[in-house]
Amino acid sequence: MSLGARIRQLRKERKMTLVDLAGEQITKGMLSLIENDKSKPSMETLNHIAKKLDVSIGYLTQEGDEAWTRWVLDSEDFNSSYSFPFEHVEQEVLPNLDKVSQNVKGMELYHVIRIYYRYKGEHSQADSYSEKISSFYRTMGMEHLVVRDKLNDAISLMYSQDYAEAFNRLVESEEEIVSFKEYDSRIELDYYYVKGIFALSVDMETFEDILNQSIELSYEHENFKYFFSENVILGYYYALIGEQGKYEMCCENIKRYLKFNRQEKYEIEIIDEDNPVPKFYVLVEDREKQAELYEEYINRIQKVYEKDQGKMVGMPFYGPIFALEHAYFEGNYEKVVQMYHDDMYIRTTAQHPIDRILMAIRSCVYPLSLYYMNEKEKARKAFNTIEATIEDIKDSIFTTEFYMIRDIIFER
């Protein structure tokens, strides 16, 4: 959108006439020429117009195509939590970078491009977009968004699974990020949650303290952001290290939380409402009972999915996984082998370390089914294939069940 077109659009949005906007500073005729891009305004004139329209000069003179930028961001491909729009970025965005509007929406699109280059392992390109974003916000006087983007930059490294680099960048920026909490009350909470997630694979000695600090901030701000996932992660951790009391405390926290904050997104997270944090995902003590829980669970979320006309966006991804695991717990190993494919547990969107480990554990219903069908060599080969997907985090405490499954398959 040209400068003149943007001025005209803003004037009409504010229901102002040419005379209203021109005021005493410029003539109606001059303003008409400016709106039709037949005359370029001086800085003094621009300043007058910006003040009358209650926007910044930077907003008026921004480059790019705002309508196109919004169209790209509103695309269905850009709003999936389970896949990344590689094709859309490569075909629609990268060839049209000159159309990216130089405003907040444009910076959102730059963030997507940054993630794209993280996926590709082209970190210098990704970092150049971090610079573009920071430079824009700094120029516009939005220093709090410069700081906020340091968090987004670290999160973008999750897509390339560079957890250590993300953690280090956060630590380096901690003082600056936390110092902005008086301007952005949520930034401190966001910081400690994200830092805790990355500490899982980098600094386990501090992981528990960081997440507990994040929970305290959830109470302090009274919005309980991340409260559900923090208690799930900590509860699972306490179960694995044998801290039964703390494990039960996390389970009770989740139960109480869901009583007053029952959202659809949590329906897909909990199979057994009496035990919202499983100690084991595959090696359960009672498979028959687990099969019954899965059947009830699948029916429950299917009703929610149908009621909300398919708005539970995770169902297309998780539906086949639920069915596969249900078949395993029923002992229908042939069905598991027929239904399974190597990428069904893998998301192209960012997964933090525990997500990846849990998906690897749950996908082990396939090699275990092969093993119970006496296809032992195939089972071991399948297990090795899955193990390769978590090679960088295989020494985590959270892989405990994974290697218990290995010992069964390899008969150790």
Side-chain angles (χ1 to χ4, degrees):
M1 184 182 292
S2 68
L3 171 62
R6 183 170 288 112
I7 291 172
R8 181 169 59 250
Q9 181 187 59
L10 289 169
R11 175 175 61 79
K12 290 183 175 181
E13 285 176 358
R14 286 155 175 72
K15 296 182 170 48
M16 297 172 70
T17 65
L18 284 167
V19 173
D20 292 334
L21 182 54
E24 298 180 0
Q25 186 82 14
I26 55 176
T27 66
K28 173 184 171 183
M30 174 58 71
L31 180 57
S32 179
L33 289 172
I34 292 170
E35 286 193 356
N36 287 289
D37 293 311
K38 293 180 179 179
S39 177
K40 290 186 177 181
S42 66
M43 282 303 296
E44 186 179 0
T45 300
L46 262 181
N47 188 47
H48 164 75
I49 292 172
K51 283 184 176 179
K52 294 281 281 187
L53 293 171
D54 194 26
V55 296
S56 66
I57 292 177
Y59 183 82
L60 286 180
T61 59
Q62 64 183 276
E63 300 172 0
D65 186 329
E66 185 175 1
W68 176 86
T69 301
R70 287 182 178 276
W71 170 76
V72 170
L73 289 171
D74 290 341
S75 166
E76 187 176 337
D77 291 342
F78 268 65
N79 291 282
S80 171
S81 300
Y82 299 90
S83 61
F84 185 81
F86 289 103
E87 188 174 327
H88 204 62
V89 169
E90 291 168 351
Q91 294 183 3
E92 295 289 346
V93 180
L94 296 182
N96 296 294
L97 289 175
D98 59 315
K99 291 186 177 181
V100 180
S101 60
Q102 297 305 292
N103 58 13
V104 174
K105 284 294 179 184
M107 297 309 106
E108 288 180 24
L109 188 49
Y110 276 166
H111 178 58
V112 175
I113 299 170
R114 171 168 59 188
I115 289 171
Y116 171 82
Y117 284 117
R118 294 289 186 217
Y119 265 128
K120 297 290 184 179
E122 298 178 28
H123 293 297
S124 60
Q125 282 276 42
D127 290 339
S128 74
Y129 279 91
S130 296
E131 286 298 320
K132 287 177 187 287
I133 295 169
S134 293
S135 177
F136 169 79
Y137 287 139
R138 194 167 281 116
T139 299
M140 300 300 289
M142 301 177 178
E143 196 64 32
H144 65 292
L145 293 181
V146 175
V147 177
R148 167 66 66 173
D149 193 62
K150 291 181 184 293
L151 272 177
N152 292 336
D153 179 54
I155 291 169
S156 74
L157 285 156
M158 194 183 294
Y159 290 79
S160 56
Q161 298 172 2
D162 288 303
Y163 306 126
E165 175 63 20
F167 181 80
N168 290 335
R169 289 192 186 191
L170 284 174
V171 171
E172 288 171 4
S173 303
E174 179 168 341
E175 185 176 348
E176 184 180 13
I177 291 172
V178 175
S179 71
F180 262 79
K181 63 183 179 182
E182 60 181 291
Y183 306 103
D184 181 349
S185 60
R186 293 181 300 175
I187 197 167
E188 184 181 25
L189 173 59
D190 294 343
Y191 170 75
Y192 282 111
Y193 176 70
V194 173
K195 183 182 177 184
I197 292 298
F198 289 130
L200 290 170
S201 57
V202 181
D203 187 6
M204 277 298 293
E205 291 183 6
T206 62
F207 147 76
E208 182 182 356
D209 289 339
I210 294 171
L211 278 192
N212 274 313
Q213 190 169 1
S214 183
I215 288 176
E216 288 176 15
L217 286 168
S218 292
Y219 279 114
E220 183 179 320
H221 293 295
E222 297 183 348
N223 63 5
F224 294 95
K225 187 179 182 182
Y226 308 125
F227 189 77
F228 178 88
S229 56
E230 287 162 338
N231 277 281
V232 169
I233 293 169
L234 282 171
Y236 186 39
Y237 170 70
Y238 291 136
L240 292 174
I241 64 173
E243 290 274 7
Q244 183 66 21
K246 290 183 179 180
Y247 163 75
E248 291 174 358
M249 176 190 68
C250 289
C251 287
E252 287 304 312
N253 283 346
I254 292 170
K255 290 178 190 177
R256 287 197 300 271
Y257 174 75
L258 292 177
K259 282 183 179 179
F260 68 85
N261 190 15
R262 191 78 188 203
Q263 297 180 39
E264 291 166 10
K265 65 181 179 180
Y266 299 130
E267 295 290 342
I268 215 163
E269 301 283 347
I270 300 176
I271 295 172
D272 183 356
E273 297 202 16
D274 290 330
N275 298 287
V277 183
K279 292 184 179 180
F280 292 99
Y281 286 80
V282 176
L283 300 180
V284 297
E285 292 182 4
D286 189 338
R287 288 196 210 169
E288 186 176 339
K289 179 183 177 183
Q290 192 73 358
E292 291 174 1
L293 285 169
Y294 259 82
E295 188 168 353
E296 293 171 3
Y297 170 59
I298 291 170
N299 290 335
R300 169 162 48 88
I301 60 174
Q302 187 62 36
K303 287 178 183 176
V304 176
Y305 184 65
E306 291 170 358
K307 177 183 175 183
D308 294 320
Q309 300 178 336
K311 290 180 182 177
M312 191 181 281
V313 295
M315 275 297 288
F317 175 79
Y318 279 111
I321 291 175
F322 300 150
L324 189 81
E325 292 169 8
H326 183 227
Y328 171 79
F329 291 120
E330 284 191 315
N332 193 343
Y333 305 129
E334 292 84 358
K335 184 177 180 180
V336 173
V337 171
Q338 289 170 3
M339 292 174 62
Y340 180 84
H341 53 86
D342 283 340
D343 62 348
M344 71 186 299
Y345 282 84
I346 298 174
R347 286 166 47 179
T348 57
T349 50
Q351 290 181 289
H352 61 64
I354 294 185
D355 270 340
R356 288 175 56 208
I357 291 169
L358 289 182
M359 288 293 101
I361 290 170
R362 292 171 65 176
S363 66
C364 281
V365 297
Y366 173 62
L368 279 169
S369 293
L370 287 169
Y371 177 80
Y372 294 131
M373 292 169 64
N374 210 31
E375 296 276 2
K376 295 182 179 180
E377 285 306 311
K378 287 184 180 179
R380 290 162 187 170
K381 183 178 179 181
F383 181 89
N384 289 336
T385 298
I386 295 168
E387 184 179 28
T389 68
I390 56 168
E391 177 65 28
D392 59 312
I393 46 178
K394 65 181 183 180
D395 295 327
S396 168
I397 181 67
F398 294 97
T399 59
T400 300
E401 184 180 1
F402 186 75
Y403 287 113
M404 290 170 69
I405 293 170
R406 176 194 61 187
D407 291 345
I408 292 171
I409 294 171
F410 285 84
E411 299 179 343
R412 295 180 179 173

